[in-house]
Amino acid sequence: MTNPDLVDHSPHHPSPSRPRDNASNLILIDNYDSFTWNVYQYLTLEGASVTVFRNDEITIEELISKHPTQLVISPGPGHPDNDAGISCEAIKHFSGKIPVLGVCMGEQCIFAAFGGRVDVTGEILHGKTSPLKHDNKGVYQGLPQDLPVTRYHSLAGTHASLPDCLEVSSRIVAGPDGGKDIIMGVRHKELLVEGVQFHPESILTAEGRKMLENFLKMEGGTWAENEARQSRLSDTKPSSKTNGPEQRKENEQESILERIYRHRREAVEAQKQMPSQRFSDLEEAYALGLAPPLVSFHDRVRQSPYSLSLMAEIKRASPSKGPIAMDICAPAQARKYAAAGASVISVLTEPEWFKGSIDDLRTVRRSLEAMPNRPAILRKEFVFDEYQILEARLAGADTVLLIVKMLDHESLKKLYKYSKDLGMEPLVEVNTKEEMDAARNIGARVIGVNNRDLTTFKVDLGTTSSLMDHAPKDAFICALSGITSPDDVETYRQRNVGGALIGEALMRASDVESFVKQLLGGSEINGLSAVSPRMLVKICGTRTVEAAVTAAEAGADMIGMILVPGRPRSVSTDVALQISGAIHAIEISKKTEPTSTVVSKAQHFFDHGAQGFRRHHRPLLVGVFQNQPLSYVIEQQMILKLDAVQLHGTEPVEWASLIPVPVIHAFNPENPELNLSGYHALPLLDSGKGGTGNLMEASSVKHRLTKDPGLRILLAGGLTPDNLDATVKSFGELRNSIVGVDVSSGVEEDGIQSIPRIKRFIEVARQL
């Protein structure tokens, strides 16, 4: 039966097809598998009228009496010899009479029905995607190679027993995903019978609905009959035009670019109808000032530690290469790119072929929050609507891609202006001299030359060089696609190309920073990174001018005063003013870390925060508060001339944005807000309320530092001059994540700060 209310909930939300006259009575045999519903759904959405029968609830005679127009055998558990019910018998009867398709165990049933053997493959797969090689015939007609397909199986037909009447139509070859040369599809050489071992109905399979659409177009019982009928249909169709990036005749094969473009239009149009996702909703959010701050793409792309700017791309898959790095974490990859010196990070947000999303863009932007000299963020997408540009701006993009090939002149001009109105200079992509002229005509200031022809997907690295003479003199030119070696980079450098977008090679690199150095050349990016930063020292619980001055002269970076009435070590306002006056009067010649005038790579937020506590000619005065009103904290900061504030209670993290000096915030290692960037300058890890003398439990701290390589901490809790060296060194390679130490009770004797212990603690810290 047909069901007009069915909805495809996959990412692209395509519309249902019209009912098909040639598929008015398709019968689907259910081998007791939950995926049967998905197969039914896709067939129905593609216009078939489908009736489902369990494999043991109908006889072959009853099935014949139903006069099906097509027969589809579903997936199922077990082996086709024992668990498929009527399936194999049905295949034998209807082969040569009507189109027959088998899915997963259904394919194995075809293999077995014609005399083949189904056996174990040596690996058990459950929801694994693998790149598919196919012969571009039958259900695969018009589909790209290496498209990701989803596999749930441990059995498959064997090469050795492949019946003479069948041919292998698709397979998984050895590759980076670890796949073996496993038969993924078979086709009868004469009869219209085809099977696929994978699951086209899975949401993770690319082009699954297209495969079933191709099947439903087939007619007759043999391939010869089908070809004859298709030829007659083609001859009777009137010539017409369709909308898309290029006009084409209806009987011409739809290209991959046209299909992607069509799907994106359908998806965007559907999204725009959703409450909270309408264009008016986005405009209102933008008017409220909810778009994140921008980095100038035009300026940032010109700033690079290399002679060629790096535009690093996050790309899980592509139509031409299939899966590339499906398990990658986009924000983690973005931080690797930033640390390697990327000027721009390109985030693919197309969900179906490239496996990206707008959420990738949001999390990448958040991962770079408040990072000094952060890379500009590009939304790499098939943009044809102002809606997509505003969506990108609200998600944190600094620029968007406009592909000249896909847009007529008026659309290109309109989208370019709209992006500029939102503060974003677009990256305009070209591939030919005519497209370069179109980019010049709209005044594009950053132009990317795509070395890949979007119609054929063939790569020609000479495309960029050949178009340099036609480029606007004042435009920044980037080479896009296919760049994998230092020789490629050197060629572009000699042609005065400004930047290179690199995706697949970076996504496959095991060590991103080393790969970038090898690819783009040059010595150490940032001269500062070769200098091991000294350990920050904070002497807390200071209650006398003498102790404060002693700590300052001994080399402490911070002097902490407890400003919480009723707490041990708390000081009165009068004493605090005396200490403040003494510290501000001190002028100590401290060795500061060098600064560089060379453009450096982006810096982790907490590294920047730590530097802010080092570059001073006297110690910084820190006031420690605990669960006191924000107004009181700010008032005390002004009265006591505090250089920094430490929050040691359950204060909201957002307070750091409202306090006019840097904030240190105390946490336990399990607190999820510990590593939020853009708020507290540094987190402090303590074993309790502070001043307890209890050592931190090291394993929980190590676990947290391991999870976020960009996290930097001040370590407190139970530290003394005697255990400081061993405690810090026990962190091994994680020691560099500890940028400072904080001590209170560890420099006391009988509850009173000890001048000798203060000096010795600082001396030990300076040796770390």
Side-chain angles (χ1 to χ4, degrees):
M1 60 176 290
T2 58
N3 188 343
D5 296 326
L6 276 178
V7 177
D8 183 354
H9 292 286
S10 60
H12 46 81
H13 304 290
S15 303
S17 299
R18 289 178 302 211
R20 296 178 182 272
D21 294 336
N22 71 314
S24 59
N25 186 27
L26 186 151
I27 288 182
L28 172 60
I29 300 298
D30 176 18
N31 283 307
Y32 286 84
D33 194 271
S34 59
F35 268 112
T36 302
W37 161 252
N38 302 73
V39 176
Y40 166 82
Q41 180 191 36
Y42 269 20
L43 290 169
T44 303
L45 286 167
E46 283 302 327
S49 179
V50 183
T51 305
V52 182
F53 294 100
R54 288 277 172 85
N55 66 17
D56 57 356
E57 294 181 355
I58 188 171
T59 65
I60 188 66
E61 292 76 19
E62 291 171 332
L63 186 58
I64 293 171
S65 70
K66 301 291 183 184
H67 301 291
T69 53
Q70 291 93 357
L71 177 69
V72 177
I73 310 298
S74 85
H79 195 283
D81 291 347
N82 309 314
D83 305 293
I86 197 178
S87 298
C88 291
E89 189 176 0
I91 291 168
K92 292 176 182 178
H93 176 82
F94 286 103
S95 292
K97 300 178 176 68
I98 59 174
V100 177
L101 175 69
V103 177
C104 199
M105 189 166 80
E107 185 261 4
Q108 297 169 13
C109 289
I110 292 173
F111 207 90
F114 289 98
R117 188 179 78 253
V118 175
D119 206 346
V120 295
T121 63
E123 55 182 346
I124 299 174
L125 300 168
H126 189 82
K128 177 181 176 57
T129 57
S130 301
L132 186 76
K133 294 289 187 184
H134 59 79
D135 60 6
N136 204 32
K137 301 176 183 176
V139 297
Y140 307 114
Q141 185 174 357
L143 301 186
Q145 294 295 333
D146 297 313
L147 56 84
V149 297
T150 311
R151 302 163 62 192
Y152 290 82
H153 67 100
S154 59
L155 304 174
T158 62
H159 286 276
S161 70
L162 179 70
D164 291 338
C165 63
L166 299 182
E167 61 185 1
V168 175
S169 58
S170 64
R171 68 194 192 282
I172 300 297
V173 298
D177 75 317
K180 301 176 182 178
D181 192 0
I182 305 296
I183 294 175
M184 282 290 108
V186 293
R187 182 184 302 116
H188 199 284
K189 294 177 180 178
E190 297 180 5
L191 310 181
L192 211 164
V193 178
E194 187 153 12
V196 294
Q197 176 63 72
F198 56 89
H199 287 256
E201 76 283 5
S202 168
I203 196 171
L204 294 178
T205 295
E207 302 288 0
R209 271 190 62 176
K210 182 64 179 177
M211 295 177 197
L212 295 182
E213 177 191 348
N214 283 341
F215 171 71
L216 291 175
K217 289 179 178 178
M218 300 173 187
E219 296 186 44
T222 67
W223 294 109
E225 286 180 43
N226 176 67
E227 185 176 354
R229 293 191 185 188
Q230 297 302 322
S231 178
R232 287 196 298 272
L233 284 173
S234 178
D235 291 341
T236 60
K237 280 185 180 179
S239 175
S240 62
K241 300 289 183 181
T242 62
N243 294 324
E246 294 178 345
Q247 289 188 327
R248 58 182 178 85
K249 293 182 179 179
E250 189 173 346
N251 62 353
E252 290 179 355
Q253 184 65 48
E254 184 182 37
S255 71
I256 294 298
L257 177 64
E258 290 171 324
R259 192 174 306 130
I260 296 173
Y261 190 75
R262 173 171 56 84
H263 281 206
R264 292 308 293 144
R265 278 194 172 278
E266 292 169 352
V268 170
E269 192 57 39
Q271 183 176 324
K272 288 166 65 175
Q273 308 309 313
M274 297 172 61
S276 81
Q277 298 289 311
R278 297 165 300 194
F279 200 4
S280 59
D281 297 320
L282 270 58
E283 288 180 314
E284 188 169 352
Y286 183 74
L288 291 172
L290 300 183
L294 283 168
V295 162
S296 169
F297 170 59
H298 175 264
D299 294 338
R300 186 63 179 91
V301 74
R302 287 169 163 77
Q303 300 168 10
S304 175
Y306 307 107
S307 56
L308 205 68
S309 293
L310 171 62
M311 306 171 73
E313 187 157 87
I314 296 173
K315 177 167 65 174
R316 294 188 181 89
S318 75
S320 58
K321 295 297 179 70
I324 296 170
M326 296 292 286
D327 297 329
I328 206 72
C329 172
Q333 189 75 357
R335 285 189 176 178
K336 291 179 183 178
Y337 288 166
S343 299
V344 179
I345 294 178
S346 167
V347 183
L348 273 152
T349 60
E350 193 283 323
E352 192 173 356
W353 280 267
F354 294 90
K355 308 305 179 187
S357 71
I358 194 70
D359 284 334
D360 281 340
L361 183 65
R362 290 191 183 96
T363 56
V364 164
R365 174 64 178 84
R366 185 69 188 91
S367 74
L368 306 180
E369 190 71 40
M371 180 180 283
N373 202 33
R374 74 165 174 85
I377 300 172
L378 162 70
R379 182 185 189 182
K380 186 89 172 288
E381 174 63 279
F382 298 88
V383 174
F384 46 80
D385 195 310
E386 292 173 336
Y387 177 91
Q388 296 167 287
I389 298 176
L390 182 54
E391 181 187 40
R393 177 71 184 88
L394 286 167
D398 300 297
T399 181
V400 294
L401 179 71
L402 298 179
I403 305 174
V404 174
K405 184 180 184 65
M406 295 179 58
L407 302 166
D408 59 55
H409 178 71
E410 288 305 314
S411 297
L412 177 64
K413 184 178 178 180
K414 180 184 72 171
L415 295 174
Y416 182 83
K417 181 180 183 302
Y418 184 72
S419 182
K420 293 272 286 185
D421 289 344
L422 295 182
M424 299 189 295
E425 176 71 37
L427 172 63
V428 179
E429 178 186 309
V430 304
N431 178 254
T432 66
K433 179 182 180 297
E434 292 73 23
E435 292 172 6
M436 182 69 82
D437 291 340
R440 176 191 288 105
N441 290 338
I442 63 169
R445 297 201 296 166
V446 184
I447 299 173
V449 180
N450 198 343
N451 294 314
R452 176 175 281 112
D453 186 313
L454 291 179
T455 302
T456 65
F457 281 87
K458 292 181 179 179
V459 174
D460 179 1
L461 291 177
T463 304
T464 300
S465 298
S466 67
L467 291 180
M468 285 301 294
D469 293 336
H470 303 287
K473 299 302 181 185
D474 56 346
F476 186 88
I477 307 300
C478 318
L480 316 179
S481 296
I483 301 156
T484 60
S485 72
D487 290 340
D488 300 335
V489 171
E490 182 57 31
T491 298
Y492 292 141
R493 185 182 288 118
Q494 292 176 3
R495 290 289 288 152
N496 295 319
V497 175
L501 187 143
I502 302 169
E504 180 185 349
L506 273 176
M507 293 295 284
R508 297 189 189 278
S510 57
D511 185 331
V512 168
E513 193 157 0
S514 296
F515 178 81
V516 170
K517 286 182 182 179
Q518 179 184 7
L519 187 69
L520 298 180
S523 56
E524 178 55 53
I525 297 174
N526 182 349
L528 297 178
S529 61
V531 179
S532 179
R534 59 182 175 79
M535 183 73 72
L536 289 168
V537 181
K538 176 170 170 278
I539 304 297
C540 202
T542 305
R543 303 186 289 285
T544 66
V545 170
E546 180 188 12
V549 172
T550 298
E553 292 176 344
D557 298 282
M558 290 171 274
I559 308 296
M561 302 184 299
I562 309 298
L563 302 175
V564 186
R567 282 290 308 276
R569 306 181 183 85
S570 179
V571 297
S572 66
T573 300
D574 288 342
V575 173
L577 283 169
Q578 293 173 26
I579 293 173
S580 176
I583 293 300
H584 281 87
I586 292 174
E587 187 71 23
I588 298 173
S589 179
K590 294 170 65 178
K591 183 179 180 181
T592 59
E593 294 169 10
T595 56
S596 174
T597 57
V598 178
V599 175
S600 66
K601 56 186 176 181
Q603 187 180 34
H604 285 298
F605 174 74
F606 293 122
D607 281 328
H608 177 72
Q611 281 186 358
F613 290 106
R614 290 192 181 101
R615 293 176 176 168
H616 298 276
H617 295 289
R618 63 167 176 81
L620 300 183
L621 190 63
V622 182
V624 181
F625 300 87
Q626 187 175 54
N627 298 329
Q628 292 152 284
L630 175 62
S631 58
Y632 177 78
V633 173
I634 295 174
E635 180 184 67
Q636 290 298 299
Q637 184 275 320
M638 291 188 292
I639 291 172
L640 301 175
K641 298 181 180 179
L642 300 176
D643 300 303
V645 162
Q646 179 173 319
L647 301 177
H648 213 91
T650 57
E651 298 88 353
V653 167
E654 294 98 319
W655 278 17
S657 301
L658 305 173
I659 295 171
V661 292
V663 170
I664 298 168
H665 205 137
F667 297 97
N668 65 58
E670 289 76 28
N671 193 305
E673 295 184 318
L674 166 67
N675 60 339
L676 281 180
S677 58
Y679 298 99
H680 40 276
L682 280 175
L684 179 142
L685 294 191
D686 200 351
S687 57
K689 294 182 178 180
T692 63
N694 297 324
L695 271 170
M696 286 288 296
E697 204 282 302
S699 62
S700 60
V701 180
K702 291 177 181 178
H703 176 69
R704 191 59 189 270
L705 294 177
T706 302
K707 288 172 65 176
D708 184 354
L711 179 59
R712 304 290 182 266
I713 64 167
L714 291 174
L715 184 66
L719 298 176
T720 71
D722 302 314
N723 66 20
L724 177 59
D725 182 76
T727 299
V728 173
K729 288 181 178 177
S730 71
F731 282 82
E733 294 181 355
L734 295 172
R735 172 256 176 273
N736 287 334
S737 297
I738 303 172
V739 295
V741 290
D742 183 301
V743 65
S744 181
S745 62
V747 292
E748 293 179 350
E749 290 181 346
D750 299 326
I752 300 174
Q753 282 183 305
S754 164
I755 301 302
R757 288 181 69 82
I758 290 174
K759 291 180 177 180
R760 194 152 71 88
F761 186 89
I762 295 172
E763 181 182 354
V764 173
R766 287 288 170 257
Q767 304 305 314
L768 293 173

